[in-house]
Amino acid sequence: MVVCSLACWRCRWLLPLLLGLAIIMGIIALAGRGWLESESEPYVHQASLWESCTRGEQDLNWNCESLMDYGWGRAAAATYLVGFVILVICFALAVIAFSVEILRFNFVRGIGGLLFVVAAFQIIGLVIYPVKFTEEIPMTGANMFSWAYGFGWASTVVVIGCAFFFCCLPNWEDEVLGNIKPTYYYSSPERAPYLN
């Protein structure tokens, strides 16, 4: 006997949990100094969303330059940060929406729409940064966009997935609320002689 169900009431916390994971990855991306790093030794360049740091091959001290002095640096930081703030608001709204006994499914669909806005802001910031960085900042040696930049993209991918789920969740309102009986599939011995 197999129970067929698309969603369950107990599983309602998975989406807010995924949004929380996206927030953690966003914090790592905002705070990390690994947006751009030297690919191999000597490690002479590293950058975050906020600053670019270089040093000589034998020097131990980093010389940092703020990216907020550039218009594109402010634009990349602002768009990613606005997306992050809206993501935190969506997380709070999702916790509220899933805490009440009767979900407001139009409210949930609105959260999905806001998450698409979050993804748009984050993608804009994540595209502006490498394009303008490589054009305007002199680089030495081989460099790569590194782990903190990857966390920014990972956060964005999770947000896009959650946005689709939040928008589609009202289509299964009865299943989520438990208003529909589960469907049991079984076969009779006449229809499946190989089970005897």
Side-chain angles (χ1 to χ4, degrees):
M1 195 180 306
V2 177
V3 179
C4 181
S5 176
L6 293 174
C8 70
W9 181 245
R10 292 180 300 259
C11 301
R12 69 185 184 270
W13 292 107
L14 288 177
L15 289 175
L17 182 67
L18 285 172
L19 287 181
L21 181 66
I23 288 173
I24 291 169
M25 289 187 287
I27 290 170
I28 292 170
L30 286 169
R33 294 193 98 184
W35 278 58
L36 180 124
E37 293 179 333
S38 295
E39 193 170 318
S40 60
E41 288 189 43
Y43 300 108
V44 294
H45 200 174
Q46 72 176 8
S48 69
L49 181 60
W50 314 103
E51 63 186 3
S52 174
C53 300
T54 57
R55 68 178 178 186
E57 291 184 20
Q58 303 302 324
D59 194 6
L60 296 177
N61 297 325
W62 291 96
N63 299 320
C64 296
E65 171 190 14
S66 175
L67 295 179
M68 298 302 108
D69 296 337
Y70 298 93
W72 62 266
R74 289 189 302 271
T79 54
Y80 194 84
L81 195 58
V82 166
F84 180 77
V85 169
I86 298 172
L87 175 60
V88 172
I89 292 168
C90 287
F91 174 74
L93 292 175
V95 169
I96 292 168
F98 288 111
S99 294
V100 295
E101 283 298 318
I102 299 174
L103 288 173
R104 307 267 188 250
F105 278 95
N106 291 333
F107 183 60
V108 170
R109 191 167 277 159
I111 294 171
L114 277 176
L115 288 173
F116 280 117
V117 172
V118 168
F121 274 111
Q122 287 185 341
I123 288 171
I124 289 169
L126 289 166
V127 169
I128 290 173
Y129 184 86
V131 169
K132 297 306 282 182
F133 194 97
T134 55
E135 283 180 5
E136 296 194 19
I137 303 293
M139 293 198 261
T140 56
N143 295 287
M144 65 178 174
F145 290 96
S146 191
W147 58 271
Y149 184 70
F151 272 107
W153 276 109
S155 173
T156 304
V157 168
V158 170
V159 165
I160 291 169
C162 285
F164 279 109
F165 279 114
F166 271 98
C167 286
C168 295
L169 191 61
N171 296 338
W172 293 292
E173 179 178 2
D174 289 332
E175 286 89 349
V176 173
L177 292 176
N179 295 335
I180 194 167
K181 291 182 180 179
T183 304
Y184 297 100
Y185 294 102
Y186 64 93
S187 59
S188 66
E190 297 83 33
R191 298 185 71 192
Y194 54 86
L195 293 176
N196 293 335

